[in-house]
Amino acid sequence: MMIREYPRKHGGFISRVVVRLSLVSMVLFASAYHTVPLYADNLSAVPQVAFIDSQIEAAWADANIKPAEQAADLEWCRRVYLDLIGRIPTVDEVLQYKNDSSHNRQSVLVDRLLGEEYTREYAKHWANVWTTILIGRDADNQMIDRDGMRKYLQAAWDKNIPYDQFVEELLTATGDNAAREDATLFNGATNFLSGKLADGGLQATAKTAQIFLGLQVQCTQCHNHPFNSGVKQNQFWELNAFFRQTRALRRFDGGRRVAWIELVDEDFPGQGGDPDEAEIFYELRNGLVKVAYPVFVDGTEISRSGLLPGLLEDGTKYGVNRRRELASLIRSHPLFPKAVVNRIWSYFLGYGFTIPIDDFGAHNPPTHPALLEGLAQRFAEYSYDLKSLMRWVVLSKPYGLTSRMKAGSTADAPDSGEQPHFSRFYVRQMQPEQLYDSLLVATKADRSEAAGRQDRWLSQFVIAFGTDEGDSSTTFNGTIPQILMLFNGDLIQAATSLDQDGFLDQVVVANRTNRDKINALYLAALARWPSSSELRYANHLLLARKGQVKEALQDVWWALLNSNEFILNH
């Protein structure tokens, strides 16, 4: 690496990157754990946690798999901060957890992160997660207002409304999708459907079944499902009929630009012109035309009327609100709690009980059916309280394992197409919002000032890391745009600035010895202290810099922020 010759022979940008890349290689993911094991909480006293552990342990025994070691204390601490509130812990938070000598400090920390102290950050993080689930990352769709969606979600998560109520609000929402100054009908929940009603609501049909029931029906608008024998073409159109009373009306700003969308319910006369029947027509692959009425996926029929509810002069009721009927049917379906349990488990553990998580059926049986069934039942019994479900999962044994693979768990390789056994914690890349907020936390930046720049940074991230569909898949695979964005983006440049009163300047002033300064960088970035070998390499760089302490620390800091250990959740 020739680090001692750096000041004399390597003055250019390329050589600086080479040296910094060498430093990145020193911050090895495999050597990231130098802290003591977690205190053993008495988690068996929590019946839901004990249920998870017993089911997972039985599956390990059946597969003859030996699980990984328990995660180190600060390894787990960083992980749970990232997963519950969307950022790494601050130095003070790391030290607070490390210095907690109570026997149940895991439970204490989880309760704090899910409690009032962190409500705002919890709500902001889960609003980001569910914005991506519900409307994806396409920022160019004029029929959707992302800020309106986030406002609704943040308020919902702030109040911790029950999941079944949350879904009903999304499916039955009416009003304006954007929060304007003069808006009296604002309802951010309308953004779930406002951009999905084109072509008779095909997307609304597919996404509703996929997200809330774990059923992939999108291909069945043209033919029966090729793999799932339980999903037929007629079922797609019968489900689609529930959305035919709903319209997304464009409202303009005085010119030709769409300013907001108003979601309304209107009488639907049917494609045959008889509102009492209000049928829709679809075509089979052989050209035969069939008729469909609102029938739920389990065969439950509702009134065929396309008229909204009302009263005749004699007081007789007529009509039906199809979306409200649909919300009620979804909430009572046995797949409803399973779909969200599978999604939440996948979020925290890296994989769901099915792959993909939103494709239930005989063709795709769950890996741990009794665990999925039992968790779904307990979740429903707890009034669909998402915080309770999250608490059970993050305090469970599989979540608390290290990500380092050992000889007995090599068969547990879901990234190679094998079924997951959850015998170790599966490493995954941070979501872009997590990475952004973590960079701000690591550098002690003013998060309120940086909030306005977040959407621009996220759009760059999605361009470099995302898919053509703008969905939630943001995978690092080493492309040049990804490397340039991470290594030399505005956020990293600001984070590694040598400006007076900047982060690195504060580290130099606040710490007396060079060792303390290096310790401070590792603790801020990785929530741990450096190993002896990492200290030795950093000291080599300090010597090579010949007294330029801030410049040497800048190189170390740049390497830490660009290391796998920083950008991965492990």
Side-chain angles (χ1 to χ4, degrees):
M1 183 169 60
M2 305 288 291
I3 225 171
R4 291 186 179 85
E5 298 184 20
Y6 170 73
R8 183 158 46 89
K9 291 189 175 181
H10 302 286
F13 168 78
I14 297 298
S15 59
R16 189 173 183 82
V17 170
V18 169
V19 172
R20 286 180 167 180
L21 286 174
S22 300
L23 281 166
V24 171
S25 68
M26 284 188 279
V27 187
L28 293 175
F29 179 71
S31 63
Y33 315 108
H34 305 281
T35 47
V36 297
L38 287 161
Y39 285 91
D41 283 358
N42 185 23
L43 297 177
S44 59
V46 182
Q48 297 83 2
V49 176
F51 170 71
I52 294 173
D53 292 349
S54 65
Q55 291 289 323
I56 291 292
E57 288 170 342
W60 290 339
D62 290 343
N64 196 27
I65 287 178
K66 188 175 182 182
E69 302 294 333
Q70 193 176 28
D73 54 354
L74 298 187
E75 179 187 358
W76 181 87
C77 174
R78 181 184 191 269
R79 181 186 301 170
V80 81
Y81 266 90
L82 263 176
D83 281 340
L84 287 180
I85 64 170
R87 63 164 175 84
I88 62 173
T90 66
V91 171
D92 288 343
E93 288 166 337
V94 171
L95 295 177
Q96 181 181 6
Y97 179 73
K98 182 179 183 297
N99 294 330
D100 183 357
S101 59
S102 59
H103 73 283
N104 63 335
R105 62 176 178 167
Q106 283 181 268
S107 298
V108 170
L109 177 56
V110 170
D111 288 344
R112 281 183 57 224
L113 293 175
L114 294 176
E116 185 176 351
E117 180 181 353
Y118 290 93
T119 295
R120 180 179 173 277
E121 289 188 274
Y122 168 86
K124 175 179 177 287
H125 169 57
W126 285 96
N128 286 334
V129 171
W130 277 89
T131 295
T132 303
I133 293 170
L134 295 172
I135 61 176
R137 295 192 181 277
D138 181 6
D140 298 325
N141 189 340
Q142 288 190 330
M143 303 296 287
I144 294 171
D145 187 87
R146 299 187 69 80
D147 287 339
M149 183 86 264
R150 283 196 292 244
K151 280 186 188 337
Y152 164 75
L153 289 170
Q154 195 152 341
W157 256 244
D158 183 73
K159 298 173 186 173
N160 192 36
I161 68 173
Y163 179 72
D164 58 340
Q165 177 186 334
F166 165 68
V167 172
E168 180 169 11
E169 290 180 4
L170 290 171
L171 291 174
T172 62
T174 58
D176 297 350
N177 73 339
R180 310 176 330 277
E181 290 184 5
D182 58 342
T184 58
L185 299 175
F186 170 66
N187 183 355
T190 56
N191 283 285
F192 170 61
L193 290 176
S194 64
K196 300 181 177 69
L197 292 173
D199 301 319
L202 299 183
Q203 273 200 48
T205 308
K207 286 299 182 181
T208 296
Q210 186 177 352
I211 295 172
F212 304 126
L213 293 173
L215 293 175
Q216 294 204 7
V217 301
Q218 58 270 29
C219 68
T220 60
Q221 60 180 288
C222 301
H223 51 78
N224 292 337
H225 198 293
F227 308 114
N228 189 351
S229 60
V231 181
K232 306 294 185 183
Q233 185 182 6
N234 65 293
Q235 291 177 301
F236 177 92
W237 292 103
E238 289 167 350
L239 185 62
N240 173 262
F242 284 90
F243 295 97
R244 291 305 180 106
Q245 291 174 324
T246 310
R247 293 188 64 196
L249 305 177
R250 292 176 172 87
R251 303 304 187 192
F252 297 90
D253 58 0
R256 301 184 64 180
R257 191 180 70 86
V258 176
W260 75 92
I261 302 298
E262 183 182 357
L263 202 67
V264 300
D265 288 323
E266 295 182 348
D267 290 338
F268 174 60
Q271 293 179 328
D274 181 0
D276 290 330
E277 289 292 305
E279 68 274 82
I280 59 176
F281 301 108
Y282 66 98
E283 188 175 341
L284 302 182
R285 299 185 75 174
N286 62 8
L288 183 65
V289 175
K290 302 283 285 187
V291 64
Y293 302 99
V295 180
F296 193 52
V297 294
D298 63 359
T300 302
E301 300 182 29
I302 67 167
S303 169
R304 293 181 175 184
S305 174
L307 300 175
L308 292 171
L311 291 174
L312 297 174
E313 291 183 0
D314 62 0
T316 303
K317 293 182 180 180
Y318 69 89
V320 63
N321 186 307
R322 292 185 176 186
R323 278 199 290 155
R324 292 197 174 279
E325 294 293 325
L326 175 63
S328 177
L329 290 165
I330 285 178
R331 289 174 59 177
S332 62
H333 194 277
L335 286 180
F336 176 65
K338 290 182 182 179
V340 69
V341 164
N342 201 29
R343 186 177 295 278
I344 293 295
W345 182 272
S346 174
Y347 170 84
F348 285 106
L349 275 302
Y351 290 91
F353 300 116
T354 62
I355 302 175
I357 59 171
D358 47 17
D359 191 18
F360 286 137
H363 67 296
N364 190 27
T367 57
H368 300 70
L371 177 53
L372 175 59
E373 182 76 35
L375 270 182
Q377 179 184 340
R378 287 159 174 79
F379 177 55
E381 290 170 352
Y382 265 68
S383 302
Y384 295 96
D385 180 27
L386 283 164
K387 285 189 175 182
S388 291
L389 176 60
M390 293 176 191
R391 189 177 191 275
W392 304 336
V393 175
V394 299
L395 290 176
S396 70
K397 184 168 290 186
Y399 183 82
L401 298 175
T402 184
S403 56
R404 289 171 292 173
M405 189 181 294
K406 62 188 303 181
S409 61
T410 54
D412 189 359
D415 54 342
S416 299
E418 304 293 332
Q419 76 172 49
H421 295 281
F422 308 105
S423 64
R424 57 186 168 85
F425 187 83
Y426 303 122
V427 176
R428 58 187 183 272
Q429 182 185 304
M430 285 189 200
Q431 288 298 301
E433 294 87 356
Q434 290 175 312
L435 182 55
Y436 185 86
D437 284 341
S438 294
L439 282 167
L440 298 182
V441 166
T443 57
K444 299 182 180 179
D446 187 332
R447 279 184 273 170
S448 61
E449 291 183 1
R453 301 191 298 271
Q454 178 173 330
D455 282 344
R456 175 177 171 272
W457 187 87
L458 291 177
S459 67
Q460 293 175 331
F461 190 102
V462 173
I463 289 171
F465 289 78
T467 65
D468 293 337
E469 290 76 26
D471 57 20
S472 60
S473 175
T474 50
T475 303
F476 181 78
N477 53 18
T479 64
I480 290 176
Q482 291 176 354
I483 293 170
L484 290 176
M485 186 203 168
L486 287 180
F487 284 8
N488 301 296
D490 293 343
L491 202 57
I492 293 292
Q493 292 297 318
T496 57
S497 168
L498 293 177
D499 291 345
Q500 187 174 2
D501 297 327
F503 174 73
L504 288 171
D505 190 60
Q506 294 173 30
V507 169
V508 171
V509 171
N511 295 277
R512 186 168 55 87
T513 67
N514 286 339
R515 179 173 186 146
D516 290 339
K517 295 177 177 65
I518 296 167
N519 284 343
L521 295 182
Y522 271 79
L523 200 57
L526 307 181
R528 67 172 178 87
W529 281 263
S531 66
S532 57
S533 61
E534 288 166 333
L535 273 174
R536 186 168 62 253
Y537 281 122
N539 282 324
H540 286 332
L541 184 58
L542 287 167
L543 289 173
R545 278 293 195 173
K546 294 182 178 179
Q548 294 180 304
V549 175
K550 284 176 66 173
E551 287 76 5
L553 291 176
Q554 183 187 42
D555 289 338
V556 173
W557 187 230
W558 185 92
L560 290 172
L561 295 181
N562 283 293
S563 67
N564 280 347
E565 188 176 347
F566 181 78
I567 67 174
L568 295 176
N569 187 354
H570 50 78

